[in-house]
Every structure is written in C-alpha cells, then in structure tokens.
C-alpha cells in the first residue's frame, strides 16, 4: 500500500503545480491587459482631443474596410 503511494504521489504534486502555474499565468496576462487597456483609455480620454479620436477611428475603419475588401477580391478572383 505504501509502495503505491510513494510511487505515484509525485503525480498529485506535479498536476497541482501545473494547475497553479497555469492559473498564475492567466492572472498575470489579465493584469497586463487590464493595465494596458485602462492606460490607453486614459491617454485617449485625457490627452488627445475627442475630435481627433473620431477622425482617427474613421480613418482606421476605412483602412480596414479596404484591406478586407482587397482580401475578399483576392480570394474570389
């Protein structure tokens, strides 16, 4: 009985540490993304004028539309 326990007990600790490592990795990524998005939101709201943001977003939407249209044309023709 103890032989079985000593033989396979490392699997319990190994699986437990893998789960903990994965959890800390996900937590770390979430904190980084929260920090980036709140920082970018603060910069866009505080330091750049709202009219410039609207023009920039309209430009990006038009650019993405033309890029997607270009990809669709290349795929179909």
């Amino acid at each position: 009985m103890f032989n079985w326990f000593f033989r396979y007990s490392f699997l319990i600790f190994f699986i437990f540490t893998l789960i903990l490592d994965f959890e800390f990795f996900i937590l770390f990524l979430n904190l980084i993304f929260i920090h980036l998005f709140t920082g970018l939101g603060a910069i866009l709201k505080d330091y750049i004028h709202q009219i410039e943001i609207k023009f920039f977003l309209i430009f990006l939407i038009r650019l993405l539309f033309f890029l997607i249209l270009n990809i669709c044309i290349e795929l179909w023709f």
Side-chain angles (χ1 to χ4, degrees):
M1 173 154 174
F2 290 112
N3 189 15
W4 179 87
F5 177 74
F6 288 125
R7 182 178 293 173
Y8 297 111
S9 62
F10 77 94
L11 287 174
I12 296 169
F13 296 113
F14 183 70
I15 291 171
F16 182 69
T17 55
L18 284 178
I19 291 170
L20 277 178
D21 288 340
F22 184 70
E23 182 180 350
F24 283 124
F25 180 70
I26 295 298
L27 179 68
F28 184 68
L29 282 179
N30 284 332
L31 291 175
I32 286 176
F33 282 125
I34 288 172
H35 177 72
L36 286 175
F37 288 137
T38 55
L40 287 174
I43 290 172
L44 288 176
K45 289 180 184 175
D46 294 340
Y47 300 117
I48 301 175
H49 299 289
Q50 297 292 330
I51 297 170
E52 294 174 0
I53 293 174
K54 289 179 184 175
F55 286 135
F56 182 67
L57 289 177
I58 290 170
F59 172 73
L60 283 179
I61 290 170
R62 288 179 182 171
L63 183 66
L64 286 174
F65 174 74
F66 286 126
L67 289 174
I68 292 171
L69 186 65
N70 189 11
I71 290 171
C72 291
I73 290 172
E74 286 180 4
L75 287 175
W76 282 313
F77 295 111

